[in-house]
Amino acid sequence: MVPGSAPARTVVIIPTFDEIENLEGAVAAVFTADPHVAILVVDDDSPDGTGALADRLAAADPRVTVLHRTERAGLGQAYLAGFRTALAAGHEVLVEMDADGSHPASALPALLARLDAADRPGVVIGSRWVAGGEVVDWPARRRWLSEGANAYARIALRIRVRDSTAGYRAYRAETLRAIPLDDVHSHGYCFQIDMTLRTLDAGFGVAEVPITFRDRLRGTSKMSSGIVAEAMLRVTQWGLRRWFRPRSLSRTSNGSAAERSLG
C-alpha cells in the first residue's frame, strides 16, 4: 500500500514457512485474478529465504506487504497475526490463501462475489466437498481422511458446513472484529474449524463456493500426525460441550437455522 493512500478493500493473507519455490507464483496468480487487492505475506522466519523473497516482492510492488514473525507457532497463530495487522490497516475483507498453489487464485472473484451477496455471510469458504467442488492429485487415503474429518466435525459439532477444515476463505472485517481473537489458541488445521464455529457463534452466516483443490507441486506439506491429533481432540471437546450445554439458534447464510455453540 502506498503511504497515505486508502487501503485496498480486500487483502489476501498468505502465511509462509519454507515456500520460496511457490511464493512468487502465488503472488502473481492473485494479481492476475484481481489486480485491485492487496497481499500480506506472513512469514514465520523461514530458513529457506522465503522472508527475504517476500521483501523483494514488496519492494517491487506497493500492493504487497510483509509481516515477519520470529516465533513458529503454527498456521492458526500466523493467520491471527495477519488478521490483526490487516484489521489495523483498515481492510474490509480478509482472505486466507495458501502459498503452495493448492488454493486456486482464479476462484478469488467467486469468493468475493459470494461475500457481497444479499444475505451477507460472515465468511465464504472455498469448498472441496460441495457440489461442483473437487480434489485432484490426492491419493485415496488423504481424500478419505479429509472427507472423514469433515463428516466427523458435522456430526460432533452439529453444523452443516461441508468443508469446515478448508483454508481458502474470505472473511468480512466485521466478522473478525466480533470474534475475541485473543481467545483462539488453535495451532494447526483445526484452526479453520475453530474459526467456523466462532463465526456461527457470533451470529454470522457461513457460505461455501466450490473450488478445485490441487496438491502442492513443490515444497513439503506441513501436515503431520500431531496436527491431525490436535484437530480430533479439539473437535471432540467442542462437540461434547455443544451436546451437553444449552444451545441457541443462529441463521446460516442461506437463511436456515443452525445450532450455535455457547462454549
Side-chain angles (χ1 to χ4, degrees), residues 206-258:
V206 176
E208 299 181 84
V209 297
I211 65 165
T212 298
F213 181 99
R214 297 182 180 276
D215 204 2
R216 66 165 58 234
L217 295 177
R218 295 175 296 275
T220 303
S221 173
K222 312 306 186 293
M223 180 65 73
S224 69
S225 58
I227 288 173
V228 174
E230 181 203 14
M232 293 297 291
L233 176 61
R234 286 185 178 269
V235 168
T236 300
Q237 291 172 335
W238 296 332
L240 290 172
R241 192 176 303 151
R242 290 171 77 85
W243 278 86
F244 292 106
R245 287 187 184 180
R247 292 174 290 117
S248 60
L249 291 178
S250 65
R251 310 299 296 182
T252 64
S253 59
N254 62 9
S256 58

Side-chain angles (χ1 to χ4, degrees), residues 144-166:
W144 295 337
L145 178 63
S146 179
E147 288 185 295
N150 277 286
Y152 179 66
R154 285 195 303 276
I155 294 168
L157 304 175
R158 290 192 279 187
I159 60 176
R160 299 178 181 179
V161 179
R162 301 291 302 176
D163 200 353
S164 60
T165 65

Side-chain angles (χ1 to χ4, degrees), residues 11-141:
V11 60
V12 178
I13 302 171
I14 303 178
T16 56
F17 182 75
D18 285 355
E19 294 288 357
I20 195 167
E21 297 177 287
N22 298 310
L23 179 60
E24 190 168 8
V27 168
V30 169
F31 287 143
T32 296
D34 189 338
H36 303 294
V37 303
I39 291 177
L40 171 61
V41 179
V42 182
D43 186 67
D44 276 6
D45 195 25
S46 297
D48 71 345
T50 302
L53 172 60
D55 286 337
R56 293 195 295 273
L57 295 173
D61 192 327
R63 295 173 295 180
V64 180
T65 57
V66 186
L67 173 63
H68 293 280
R69 287 164 32 91
T70 57
E71 64 270 37
R72 299 172 184 173
L75 181 71
Q77 295 305 307
Y79 269 129
L80 290 173
F83 290 164
R84 294 185 184 100
T85 298
L87 290 172
H91 297 287
E92 298 176 23
V93 175
L94 289 72
V95 178
E96 298 181 12
M97 195 180 86
D98 286 351
D100 62 13
S102 58
H103 297 157
S106 58
L108 179 60
L111 266 69
L112 299 180
R114 184 65 186 87
L115 198 68
D116 285 335
D119 57 354
R120 292 181 58 82
V123 63
V124 176
I125 296 173
S127 178
R128 299 159 290 186
W129 308 124
V130 294
E134 63 176 335
V135 171
V136 296
D137 305 328
W138 262 10
R141 179 180 178 276

